[in-house]
């Protein structure tokens, strides 16, 4: 295997079209979670790098080629970037797998494929965003209309579970809307974001339109949130950090979009296509080693089919090969870090201590890398930590239901601080629609394993977030609306 050129020297940051090192000289190792080895070092930026990046983004926003660029030209640049992602897809997938441990095939098909599709979807919005004329009832003769304008300089803060696709899912609508950006990748996973930066440069985006500052959350991330020159923050990550950002963003009343955690319920009714439901339930919690905000982590299954369904999911869990991402044998890679492995194991232990039974998995694998077995817990109760808190690992908790009314069942599903996603498996239309209405979650899937499409808004109710990504709403989130009223008298 030839290593990508990016790894041949310490990583730099992209500020104002130049590759630079943080002025403090501080660096951190970037680790391969499949074997715990160092891949390369990244530069740790702080307030000074963020300030330079924000100034560059401001200049690019207010003057220069980007500010004058017609929407159709922005579309073309975004489409070119999508093509470049695909042309460099094998290398990007390799970087993503080295940095996250996810199976290489998955990185290539899903992570890189999704990122390219996301760019293409949003590229089209550059020419389609628009205001409206309004019929006003003011005395006299008026011409009144709204204008949609880019919000300005946006700070994009992303996590480590789907590094490239998350970065692109924020960059694409922001650029389509005409904003300029400062991106901070997660400290654990800077590789694909920096390679993306190289491609952005090569394609010819003007300097300062996309800046990438690597560094720690409480330093570089916090500096972005504190900076008075940033007009909006779009953050994906933990609910704890999401809440803490609000106070800092209050300084200049930045717009804030938050895509946070989840504890999403999956309901399997007795009349469901059980084989498909079991496949989807297993994939929904074990895919990406459970490190997915919309993971279906709470299973509710009807008592009459519970033995069969739980046994089916357990068999699927046992059949999954836990291995390094580069191994052709890999179905499930490691979790992202030793710390995340401890966190996941801590939850499994707390489940055991509170009386849950581990029917499969439940152990970390010895040796190199941060591996955890796919785990299924039964006899879980709604008050247990494993049922209440987001684990962000391959751990499914299961609960049974009898002939509860749909109202009671939905209330059990809604008994959580979160409200990101939910799945319903039934052949009964009435059950499907009634449950879909009652669930307090931003996303409902019916008889569907995965339903992520860039045309569909994605985001959370309750403590799963603020705002929506994707769809028209996702691009409009990077705009301000201006009302213009002209007195024609
Ligand atoms: P996190 O701390 O919320 O990290 C998300 C992003 O925010 C990272 O880029 C992080 O930088 C940055 N950040 C951290 N503190 C910040 C601050 N004070 N100001 C500005 N930015 C800041 O999440 P994590 O620690 O990586 O993961 C912890 C848990 O969060 C997981 O176990 C999981 O439960 C949840 N999580 C949810 C999602 C999701 O998609 N909803 C994604 C990831 C994690 P650093 O990387 O440098 O910390
Ligand atoms: Mg963190």
């Amino acid at each position: 295997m030839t290593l990508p050129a990016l790894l041949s020297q310490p990583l730099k940051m992209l500020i104002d079209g130049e590759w630079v090192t943080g002025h403090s000289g501080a660096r951190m190792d970037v680790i391969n979670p499949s074997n715990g080895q160092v891949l390369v070092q990244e530069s740790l930026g702080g307030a000074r790098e963020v300030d330079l990046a924000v100034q560059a983004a401001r200049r690019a926003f207010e003057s220069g080629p980007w500010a004058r660029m017609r929407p159709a030209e922005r579309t073309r640049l975004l489409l070119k970037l999508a093509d470049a992602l695909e042309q460099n897809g094998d290398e990007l997938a390799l970087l993503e797998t080295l940095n996250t441990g996810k199976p290489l095939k998955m990185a290539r098909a899903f992570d890189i494929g999704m990122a390219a599709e996301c760019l293409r979807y949003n590229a089209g919005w550059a020419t389609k965003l628009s205001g409206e004329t309004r019929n006003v009832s003011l005395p006299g003769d008026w011409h009144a209309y709204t204008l949609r304008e880019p919000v300005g300089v946006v700070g994009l803060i992303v996590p480590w579970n789907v590094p490239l696709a998350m970065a692109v899912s924020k960059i694409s609508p922001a650029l389509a809307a005409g904003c300029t950006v400062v991106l901070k990748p997660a400290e654990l996973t800077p590789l694909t974001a920096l390679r993306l930066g190289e491609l952005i440069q090569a394609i010819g985006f003007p300097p300062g339109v996309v800046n990438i500052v690597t560094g720690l959350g409480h330093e570089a991330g916090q500096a972005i949130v504190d900076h008075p020159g940033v007009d909006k923050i779009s953050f994906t990550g933990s609910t704890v950090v999401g809440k803490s950002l609000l106070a800092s963003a209050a300084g200049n009343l930045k717009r804030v979009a938050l895509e946070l955690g989840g504890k999403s319920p999956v309901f399997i009714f007795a009349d469901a296509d059980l084989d498909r439901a079991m496949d989807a339930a297993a994939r929904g919690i074990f895919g990406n080693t459970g490190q997915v905000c919309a993971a279906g982590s709470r299973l509710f299954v009807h008592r009459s089919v519970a033995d069969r369904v739980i046994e089916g999911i357990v068999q699927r869990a046992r059949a999954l090969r836990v291995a390094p991402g580069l191994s052709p044998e890999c179905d499930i890679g490691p979790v992202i870090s030793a710390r995340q492995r401890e966190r996941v194991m801590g939850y499994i232990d707390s489940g055991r201590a509170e009386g849950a039974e581990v029917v499969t998995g439940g152990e970390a694998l010895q040796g190199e890398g941060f591996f955890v077995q796919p785990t299924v817990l039964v006899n879980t109760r709604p008050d247990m930590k494993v049922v209440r808190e987001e684990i962000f690992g391959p751990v499914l908790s299961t609960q049974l239901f009898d002939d509860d009314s749909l109202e009671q069942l939905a209330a059990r599903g809604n008994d959580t601080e979160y409200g990101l996603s939910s799945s319903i498996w039934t052949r009964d239309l009435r059950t499907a629609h009634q449950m879909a209405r009652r669930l307090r979650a931003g996303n409902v899937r019916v008889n569907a394993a995965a339903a992520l499409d860039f045309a569909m808004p994605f985001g959370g109710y309750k403590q799963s977030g603020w705002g929506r990504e994707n769809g028209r709403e996702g691009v409009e989130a990077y705009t301000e609306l201006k009302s213009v009223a002209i007195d024609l008298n």
Side-chain angles (χ1 to χ4, degrees):
M1 182 189 66
T2 15
L3 279 182
L6 187 77
L7 302 180
S8 61
Q9 52 181 315
L11 302 171
K12 294 186 171 175
M13 311 181 217
L14 179 61
I15 299 178
D16 204 12
E18 305 286 337
W19 289 99
V20 299
T21 300
H23 80 286
S24 74
R27 288 204 177 126
M28 192 178 106
D29 291 340
V30 179
I31 305 289
N32 177 348
S34 289
N35 58 20
Q37 287 169 14
V38 179
L39 289 164
V40 68
Q41 286 202 313
E42 69 183 304
S43 177
L44 297 182
R48 177 145 154 205
E49 286 69 36
V50 166
D51 186 46
L52 291 171
V54 172
Q55 287 183 40
R58 177 62 57 193
R59 279 193 302 276
F61 181 70
E62 286 179 356
S63 55
W66 183 255
R68 288 190 298 271
M69 197 176 279
R70 286 169 302 148
E73 291 178 77
R74 293 207 302 275
T75 296
R76 252 178 248 128
L77 278 178
L78 290 168
L79 291 175
K80 268 197 199 169
L81 185 56
D83 290 344
L85 289 194
E86 273 175 358
Q87 283 151 13
N88 295 276
D90 291 343
E91 184 199 357
L92 284 162
L94 177 57
L95 287 169
E96 205 71 310
T97 289
L98 288 169
N99 205 171
T100 62
K102 66 181 71 191
L104 186 60
K105 261 191 304 210
M106 184 68 103
R108 183 67 184 87
F110 181 78
D111 295 68
I112 314 307
M114 293 284 277
E117 283 316 304
C118 179
L119 277 160
R120 294 197 173 108
Y121 173 80
N122 283 294
W125 276 114
T127 53
K128 286 153 200 81
L129 283 170
S130 59
E132 294 174 347
T133 55
R134 296 288 168 108
N135 292 324
V136 294
S137 302
L138 298 166
D141 196 8
W142 292 80
H143 176 46
Y145 59 93
T146 59
L147 281 177
R148 248 187 210 288
E149 298 179 340
V151 69
V153 173
V154 295
L156 308 176
I157 300 175
V158 296
W160 39 257
N161 53 339
V162 205
L164 179 71
M166 287 275 181
V168 167
S169 76
K170 293 188 189 298
I171 287 175
S172 340
L175 298 185
C179 295
T180 58
V181 312
V182 178
L183 170 72
K184 195 201 86 69
E187 69 196 47
L188 300 174
T189 55
L191 299 188
T192 46
L194 294 174
R195 184 69 187 110
L196 175 73
E198 292 180 349
L199 297 174
I200 284 172
Q201 293 271 86
I203 281 167
F205 280 84
V209 172
V210 176
N211 304 275
I212 305 173
V213 178
T214 51
L216 304 177
H218 63 273
E219 292 173 7
Q222 189 65 46
I224 294 174
V225 182
D226 287 339
H227 202 294
V230 174
D231 299 299
K232 176 187 169 101
I233 295 284
S234 179
F235 170 85
T236 298
S238 61
T239 297
V240 176
V241 173
K243 286 182 183 176
S244 80
L245 300 190
L246 291 179
S248 317
N252 65 337
L253 277 187
K254 288 178 181 66
R255 282 77 183 107
V256 179
L258 302 173
E259 210 273 272
L260 308 175
K263 194 73 190 177
S264 299
V266 176
F267 300 92
I268 301 182
F269 289 84
D271 70 332
D273 178 336
L274 295 182
D275 285 316
R276 284 187 58 216
M278 289 185 271
D279 280 344
R283 216 175 314 144
I285 186 63
F286 303 134
N288 213 39
T289 323
Q291 302 168 121
V292 177
C293 51
S297 48
R298 289 183 299 146
L299 175 67
F300 293 89
V301 56
H302 192 273
R303 189 178 300 276
S304 65
V305 293
D307 285 350
R308 188 176 150 200
V309 167
I310 293 171
E311 179 53 28
I313 294 173
V314 164
Q315 278 172 12
R316 285 164 175 78
R318 291 194 179 130
L320 290 169
R321 295 162 304 176
V322 180
L326 285 181
S327 158
E329 313 273 276
C330 175
D331 297 314
I332 298 281
V335 295
I336 195 68
S337 62
R339 189 166 148 236
Q340 188 67 9
R341 180 180 57 190
E342 272 164 38
R343 199 181 129 92
V344 173
M345 291 312 299
Y347 276 110
I348 295 173
D349 292 342
S350 94
R352 283 195 180 100
E354 291 186 288
E357 186 193 333
V358 176
V359 278
T360 190
E363 303 298 331
L365 303 189
Q366 297 308 310
E368 294 181 320
F370 315 127
F371 296 95
V372 180
Q373 292 174 327
T375 299
V376 177
L377 303 176
V378 295
N379 299 333
T380 57
R381 296 183 316 268
D383 60 311
M384 289 179 175
K385 240 172 87 135
V386 281
V387 175
R388 303 215 71 79
E389 297 182 16
E390 180 177 55
I391 299 174
F392 228 61
V395 184
L396 180 68
S397 74
T398 58
Q399 296 175 60
L400 310 191
F401 62 91
D402 293 285
D403 293 321
D404 305 43
S405 68
L406 295 183
E407 202 141 319
Q408 286 167 332
L409 189 56
R412 290 175 66 185
N414 290 335
D415 179 19
T416 166
E417 289 171 355
Y418 294 109
L420 189 55
S421 192
S422 57
S423 304
I424 301 161
W425 291 85
T426 178
R427 289 185 167 105
D428 186 297
L429 266 182
R430 181 185 149 271
T431 303
H433 284 296
Q434 292 215 1
M435 285 296 284
R437 283 189 187 176
R438 289 191 159 94
L439 291 171
R440 302 272 301 152
N443 306 272
V444 180
R445 300 162 183 181
V446 180
N447 299 333
L452 185 65
D453 187 284
F454 297 108
M456 292 287 278
F458 182 87
Y461 280 39
K462 299 194 275 184
Q463 296 191 33
S464 287
W466 275 4
R468 294 292 178 269
E469 300 197 303
N470 299 341
R472 189 186 69 238
E473 296 79 358
V475 195
E476 287 183 352
Y478 290 96
T479 65
E480 289 280 10
L481 201 54
K482 179 182 280 176
S483 288
V484 182
I486 305 176
D487 186 341
L488 300 177
N489 295 294

